[in-house]
Amino acid sequence: MCSLVCACGKEVTDPKKEKLKELLVQYQGQKGALIPVLQGAQEIYGYLPKDVMEEISSSLKIPFSKVYGVATFYAQFHLKPRGRNVVRACLGTACHVRGGAKVFEAIKNELGVGDGETTPDLRFTVESVACIGACGLAPVIMVNDDTYGRLTPDKVKEILAKYE
Amino acid sequence: MRKVLICAGTGCISSGSPKVTEKFREELAQRGITDIEVYNTGCHGFCEQGPIVIIEPDKTFYCRVEVDDVPEIIEKHLLGGQIVEKVLFHEPQVEKKVEKYTEISFYAKQKRLVLHNCGHINPERIEDYVVSGGYEALKKALTTMSSQEVVDEVKKSGLRGRGGGGFPTGMKWQFTKDAKGDKKYVVCNADEGDPGAFMDRSVLEGDPHAVLEGMAICGYAVGADEGYIYVRAEYPLAIKRLQIAIKQAEEKGYLGENIFGSGFNFRIKIKAGAGAFVCGEETALLTSIEGNRGMPRPRPPFPAVKGLWGKPTNINNVETFANVPLIIKNGADWYAAMGTEGSKGTKIFALTGKVNNTGLVEVPMGITMRQIIFDIGGGIKGGRKFKAVQIGGPSGGCLPEELLDLPVDYDSLIKAGAMMGSGGLVVMDETTCMVDVAKFFLNFTQKESCGKCVPCREGTKRMLEILQKITEGKGEPGDLETLEKLAYNIKSASLCGLGQTAPNPVLSTLRYFRHEYEAHIYDKKCPAGVCSALLQYKILEDKCVGCGACARVCPVGAISGERKQPHKIDPEKCIKCGSCMEKCKFGAIVKG
């Protein structure tokens, strides 16, 4: 299951598959395991490929339709590959009244993608979020786990340049 | 011995506090100074001024501290005993610098009970919490009170649910206690999804043990041995600190088996949410913990009778649990002496928007909105005129100036057409369009509607379409009546709190700011100059000097003109981005 045969005849193991296997063993038979397993799987793969969800479905003995249903319900789960860097523009109330939309526009223009989209070179995924809870610094964006506050549209370029 | 306390809440981290901490440690080590302790605290709730550095026992409050300021603070203050003026807080209303945090009006006029540890202890060290009186309430409850006595104490205190609904907490505990079943659960709702609210996050990041202690006391009172904290996925730091806190509490025996030798066992697990606003609704949250799509179910049966995995479950919000140790430790009478008749104790508000001091504000219930915004918040930014305050997030409403002197408590807000909600307060000035604000909230609730019931799923969609039309200048007579009709139907027919309160922002703006809607529909104008479809940018010929700055920033080349001659904007090309207006130094560009 986890081994692939290389052209030279050697068996190689896929480290991601190994990790997924460990994860499934860890949650075997636990109540309410589906969401933490999906979170863990997304941690490993960066998103939720179909075959991974099928694997989860058969391992946890949960119908695939339900796995798919849960994965599409929550904003955190992604069924398509994501950029290496995720830019989250906050459009919460405080950011909204302090001009968050303009900052978001500047990001989209700079990267040439829309909300929820990924640049073709997989460098950035851009998404809007409702509130990241740093309202005191509005308007705010997050790139991966770094938060940038008190922004104006002209600062966007410089921030994005830091991420490869 | 002096201490340097540096804030490491999400806000201050984003404005650069980790580098400041590093620099302090580096510089002190270089100078061979070992008797000054440097450590990180949780959120003070004054994120606007971050990174915040406090020098104890002097109570000195330095704000917006940069790495380059560190050597000066060490040389001048820590070694020389003098204040470093340039990083002191500048009080906006009185135009002076303030030295001590006890004198800053933002803090001085608050009553910080739940937040008393936030910003003053290291949240990753249980010893700090214990020294400040932590786990005494749990000990008192387990060793000197019966479970019914604990419930009675909470009942007598008058504590009501801080998640926004305001249900009497003691009554809820009694229901769970009286429910039949050998297995019961305690759940903490930390799925703080309201845009504009961050008090739960700050409590979890700044004083996680207070929440654990409150949950354990609740577990003892209702007869549960297992607890869950359901935290938003967007709060990684809160999750990390909770994990540390739970581990430390288990090591010290405050959680686990036979706590304080009383025979009471209690364990807490963390569940990270996966991003759905509706999961803040209690039945949806429980469904989500069980590993399903987080959709609410009809009540009754209430969770107190049939909750997590069908067992009796007591579910409260973060701030509610954080109040519990205070009540048990100081007694219900002490607690009930604060607040108004129907709303006791304090409430934490997240004050944001167009106000000078943004941040977390803990005040006694019954304080007026004016005191919060003007005395603590320092008034409106840029000296503009106050227009409205939005309270309670997507389920709340907008209150106009004439209601500023309303005492803030659960019941008065409901009467005024808003609600306490989680306690987000967003201040708006004359440059905020109320129709746009209503549209913003509806857009949010419409996106976050789980889709289980038709009134919410379809109704919010239709309301949003009408608002969209109005802001684009295509509003027609009759639209407002349709909006109101839809709103009342959605309120009365939706399955859960999300749908039942979703129309509130629209209804309250229609109630207090109807003239703005009418201006959009009949005059095709946006009085606040926000809705871009109704705006036109113009250059005033008599003010334009022809410098060309506006033409250079225009992203679409809509501005033309000879040098030193008045320029013109081509309305066909103009995308109304407003860059030209920001650039013009002469005030020659107007919109309207």
Side-chain angles (χ1 to χ4, degrees):
Chain A
M1 183 83 215
C2 299
S3 54
L4 300 159
V5 180
C6 169
C8 67
K10 263 194 193 154
E11 277 202 0
V12 282
T13 51
D14 175 356
K16 286 184 178 172
K17 275 226 150 130
E18 286 294 324
K19 274 193 185 154
L20 180 67
K21 226 181 154 169
E22 278 168 37
L23 180 80
L24 289 167
V25 168
Q26 189 193 327
Y27 279 97
Q28 208 48 266
Q30 274 194 35
K31 282 194 297 191
L34 179 55
I35 292 172
V37 166
L38 286 172
Q39 284 169 328
Q42 184 162 283
E43 196 90 339
I44 298 167
Y45 288 87
Y47 71 112
L48 294 171
K50 188 178 171 195
D51 57 327
V52 169
M53 289 200 283
E54 281 166 343
E55 175 94 6
I56 290 170
S57 153
S58 67
S59 167
L60 297 178
K61 297 186 177 55
I62 293 173
F64 181 73
S65 60
K66 190 184 159 183
V67 175
Y68 182 80
V70 168
T72 51
F73 183 82
Y74 294 99
Q76 197 192 359
F77 297 129
H78 308 284
L79 308 190
K80 284 202 187 102
R82 311 258 295 156
R84 292 188 295 281
N85 304 292
V86 180
V87 184
R88 293 185 179 88
C90 182
L91 298 179
T93 323
C95 291
H96 180 76
V97 301
R98 284 196 181 181
K102 281 190 175 164
V103 174
F104 188 43
E105 285 304 316
I107 295 169
K108 289 191 292 192
N109 289 337
E110 180 67 27
L111 299 175
V113 291
D115 190 358
E117 293 176 358
T118 302
T119 54
D121 60 0
L122 290 186
R123 186 174 157 198
F124 286 109
T125 295
V126 176
E127 49 189 38
S128 62
V129 291
C131 183
I132 42 193
C135 319
L137 302 167
V140 186
I141 66 167
M142 269 177 103
V143 184
N144 307 334
D145 285 337
D146 309 332
T147 316
Y148 297 92
R150 304 185 195 122
L151 289 179
T152 47
D154 53 290
K155 292 184 184 163
V156 164
K157 206 179 177 124
E158 193 188 330
I159 292 170
L160 295 178
K162 295 184 194 172
Y163 297 89
E164 267 319 305
Chain B
M1 177 159 151
R2 280 225 175 87
K3 279 187 201 162
V4 180
L5 282 67
I6 302 164
C7 178
T10 295
C12 284
I13 285 180
S14 66
S15 49
S17 81
K19 285 198 181 95
V20 174
T21 310
E22 215 175 298
K23 186 79 179 168
F24 260 106
R25 293 202 169 122
E26 216 172 274
E27 292 278 331
L28 288 170
Q30 256 179 17
R31 292 178 172 78
I33 301 168
T34 52
D35 62 343
I36 295 177
E37 218 185 329
V38 177
Y39 64 80
N40 284 124
T41 66
C43 181
H44 294 252
F46 206 8
C47 319
E48 158 104 341
Q49 295 297 332
I52 291 171
V53 175
I54 285 184
I55 312 286
E56 290 285 17
D58 313 9
K59 295 194 167 66
T60 317
F61 180 90
Y62 290 131
C63 57
R64 299 207 176 184
V65 177
E66 312 249 336
V67 172
D68 302 341
D69 299 325
V70 173
E72 193 178 350
I73 295 176
I74 293 176
E75 289 295 331
K76 240 179 125 175
H77 187 149
L78 297 178
L79 301 174
Q82 290 176 329
I83 300 289
V84 183
E85 284 272 335
K86 69 172 186 194
V87 277
L88 282 177
F89 177 65
H90 182 93
E91 191 81 66
Q93 279 165 306
V94 288
E95 292 292 325
K96 67 166 200 211
K97 302 251 180 184
V98 189
E99 272 179 41
K100 295 186 165 78
Y101 57 79
T102 46
E103 292 162 2
I104 295 174
S105 62
F106 177 79
Y107 288 113
K109 298 190 175 160
Q110 295 189 39
K111 195 173 180 92
R112 291 195 160 212
L113 298 175
V114 176
L115 294 173
H116 74 287
N117 276 336
C118 287
H120 297 284
I121 66 167
N122 181 346
E124 296 179 10
R125 270 211 320 226
I126 192 167
E127 295 79 9
D128 281 26
Y129 181 68
V130 172
V131 164
S132 71
Y135 290 111
E136 276 172 27
L138 180 62
K139 187 175 178 181
K140 182 177 167 183
L142 294 183
T143 55
T144 68
M145 297 164 88
S146 71
S147 60
Q148 186 57 50
E149 280 172 339
V150 176
V151 175
D152 290 340
E153 201 68 18
V154 175
K155 266 191 200 162
K156 213 165 71 180
S157 73
L159 175 66
R160 292 170 68 172
R162 295 286 188 255
F167 191 81
T169 306
M171 212 192 293
K172 198 186 252 186
W173 288 22
Q174 190 71 58
F175 289 147
T176 317
K177 183 177 164 52
D178 296 342
K180 288 190 175 49
D182 48 350
K183 178 82 190 170
K184 293 179 186 178
Y185 294 99
V186 171
V187 174
C188 172
N189 183 345
D191 188 68
E192 182 175 51
D194 275 25
F198 52 99
M199 60 288 290
D200 293 353
R201 195 207 71 205
S202 294
V203 171
L204 295 170
E205 285 179 11
D207 198 11
H209 287 284
V211 181
L212 303 184
E213 186 175 9
M215 285 177 75
I217 292 168
C218 174
Y220 172 71
V222 304
D225 65 345
E226 208 175 330
Y228 282 96
I229 306 182
Y230 187 93
V231 192
R232 264 185 97 186
E234 289 89 339
Y235 289 175
L237 187 61
I239 293 175
K240 184 186 128 200
R241 291 201 175 142
L242 276 171
Q243 283 165 335
I244 294 170
I246 290 172
K247 196 167 156 279
Q248 290 177 339
E250 282 175 351
E251 282 165 7
K252 298 264 181 210
Y254 298 121
L255 289 176
E257 308 295 309
N258 193 16
I259 303 168
F260 291 115
S262 64
F264 169 65
N265 310 328
F266 196 70
R267 291 199 176 279
I268 295 179
K269 288 184 189 144
I270 301 172
K271 278 273 177 184
F277 175 68
V278 71
C279 288
E281 200 279 341
E282 57 181 18
T283 58
L285 187 150
L286 298 175
T287 313
S288 179
I289 294 182
E290 290 165 4
N292 308 311
R293 294 173 73 113
M295 288 187 172
R297 55 167 183 74
R299 296 177 305 181
F302 285 91
V305 177
K306 205 170 169 206
L308 194 58
W309 290 297
K311 306 278 187 253
T313 303
N314 185 84
I315 176 162
N316 286 125
N317 159 279
V318 171
E319 198 189 329
T320 313
F321 280 126
N323 270 290
V324 169
L326 297 168
I327 292 169
I328 298 299
K329 202 161 76 180
N330 302 309
D333 296 337
W334 164 85
Y335 192 84
M338 292 176 287
T340 62
E341 191 173 340
S343 309
K344 300 296 183 198
T346 58
K347 173 77 189 96
I348 307 174
F349 291 103
L351 185 61
T352 57
K354 308 261 179 103
V355 59
N356 277 315
N357 303 335
T358 59
L360 285 188
V361 176
E362 186 177 352
V363 287
M365 293 274 192
I367 190 173
T368 67
M369 206 59 96
R370 187 184 300 277
Q371 285 169 301
I372 298 177
I373 296 168
F374 290 89
D375 298 354
I376 297 172
I380 310 296
K381 249 193 158 44
R384 283 210 170 96
K385 198 171 165 310
F386 171 90
K387 184 193 263 186
V389 57
Q390 206 283 340
I391 178 164
S395 23
C398 294
L399 305 177
E401 186 156 21
E402 52 265 33
L403 290 178
L404 273 178
D405 294 310
L406 181 86
V408 178
D409 68 23
Y410 289 101
D411 312 312
S412 67
L413 288 172
I414 297 276
K415 269 202 209 91
M419 69 183 274
M420 185 70 82
S422 54
L425 283 181
V426 185
V427 177
M428 302 172 188
D429 65 13
E430 61 220 341
T431 62
T432 315
C433 167
M434 300 321 282
V435 186
D436 178 68
V437 168
K439 186 177 83 176
F440 165 82
F441 280 115
L442 213 62
N443 187 21
F444 175 82
T445 35
Q446 191 269 320
K447 264 192 197 158
E448 293 292 346
S449 171
C450 78
K452 186 171 179 175
C453 74
V454 177
C456 173
R457 187 182 68 223
E458 300 295 331
T460 51
K461 181 94 182 146
R462 297 296 160 255
M463 281 180 80
L464 184 61
E465 280 167 2
I466 296 174
L467 287 172
Q468 199 77 34
K469 208 171 78 176
I470 294 173
T471 54
E472 284 168 3
K474 298 174 189 153
E476 308 159 58
D479 278 350
L480 299 186
E481 289 68 27
T482 315
L483 268 181
E484 277 170 337
K485 205 166 133 188
L486 275 167
Y488 288 116
N489 283 331
I490 295 167
K491 274 178 87 74
S492 57
S494 292
L495 171 65
C496 84
L498 190 151
Q500 288 157 11
T501 58
N504 284 354
V506 179
L507 284 173
S508 70
T509 46
L510 274 171
R511 179 167 160 189
Y512 298 116
F513 300 95
R514 204 180 186 92
H515 53 276
E516 284 202 28
Y517 283 87
E518 286 164 349
H520 282 73
I521 295 172
Y522 301 108
D523 314 339
K524 307 291 175 206
K525 280 214 164 16
C526 172
V530 173
C531 301
S532 58
L534 301 170
L535 291 183
Q536 270 218 320
Y537 282 83
K538 272 207 215 63
I539 297 182
L540 300 171
E541 287 199 9
D542 54 334
K543 283 196 176 166
C544 178
V545 297
C547 68
C550 56
R552 280 193 293 276
V553 296
C554 180
V556 290
I559 304 179
S560 56
E562 295 289 319
R563 246 186 92 66
K564 306 214 170 166
Q565 293 299 318
H567 282 49
K568 263 202 170 60
I569 300 177
D570 179 355
E572 292 295 308
K573 282 188 186 166
C574 172
I575 54 163
K576 298 161 187 174
C577 68
S579 312
C580 53
M581 198 168 160
E582 278 166 35
K583 199 78 198 167
C584 181
K585 290 195 192 80
F586 306 95
I589 301 178
V590 290
K591 61 180 178 181

